[in-house]
Amino acid sequence: MDCLFCKIVNGSIPATIVKQTEKITAFNDISPQAPTHLLIIPNIHFENMGKLSEADEKLSGEMLREASAIAKDLGLDSWRININTGASAGQSVFHAHIHLLGGRTFAWPPG
Ligand code: AMP
Ligand code: ZN
């Protein structure tokens, strides 16, 4: 399958990988929107987080746990998770991912 994030998982496209386990890969977003901006992705392909969480509740929970663990490792006391599901919500890469952002203040509600 021609998927950018599957290629990052298998190493055929380079990325700055922050953490990789049997289940997930976390790497720096190429176009950071905050001083810390990582993407946490499952190593197996799902189109979006909605489909992943319906198919594998354990894996979706593990992704949130990893986000929290990485934020703690980076010393962030405030951080934001963003999940864009579908093109009109801003999803541009159709391999499930969680954005982990930190290091600045964030407006609420989001735009
Ligand atoms: P989304 O718009 O929620 O689908 O997020 C996709 C994210 O992937 C965007 O924030 C992009 O900046 C990021 N991105 C695209 N290509 C790469 C890449 N080769 N390495 C790291 N991040 C990427
Ligand atoms: Zn993929």
Side-chain angles (χ1 to χ4, degrees):
M1 190 193 310
D2 193 26
C3 170
L4 176 65
F5 286 179
C6 283
K7 290 178 181 167
I8 287 177
V9 171
N10 71 29
S12 60
I13 286 183
T16 305
I17 292 178
V18 172
K19 185 169 186 179
Q20 191 161 39
T21 70
E22 195 190 321
K23 301 281 183 193
I24 64 97
T25 301
F27 55 97
N28 286 338
D29 196 293
I30 205 168
S31 173
Q33 302 303 310
T36 296
H37 185 175
L38 307 180
L39 299 173
I40 300 164
I41 71 172
N43 292 342
I44 56 172
H45 183 91
F46 287 94
E47 187 183 332
N48 59 49
M49 284 302 296
K51 288 194 172 167
L52 183 158
S53 51
E54 283 166 21
D56 193 336
E57 188 177 343
K58 190 161 175 240
L59 180 55
S60 61
E62 191 163 332
M63 290 176 69
L64 286 175
R65 186 172 57 74
E66 289 290 358
S68 187
I70 292 167
K72 199 171 178 184
D73 285 350
L74 294 174
L76 299 173
D77 53 4
S78 287
W79 39 279
R80 178 171 288 190
I81 276 173
N82 207 88
I83 297 172
N84 301 325
T85 302
S88 1
Q91 188 176 4
S92 61
V93 177
F94 291 85
H95 177 125
H97 53 279
I98 290 177
H99 295 259
L100 173 63
L101 301 124
R104 67 167 171 85
T105 56
F106 298 97
W108 188 262

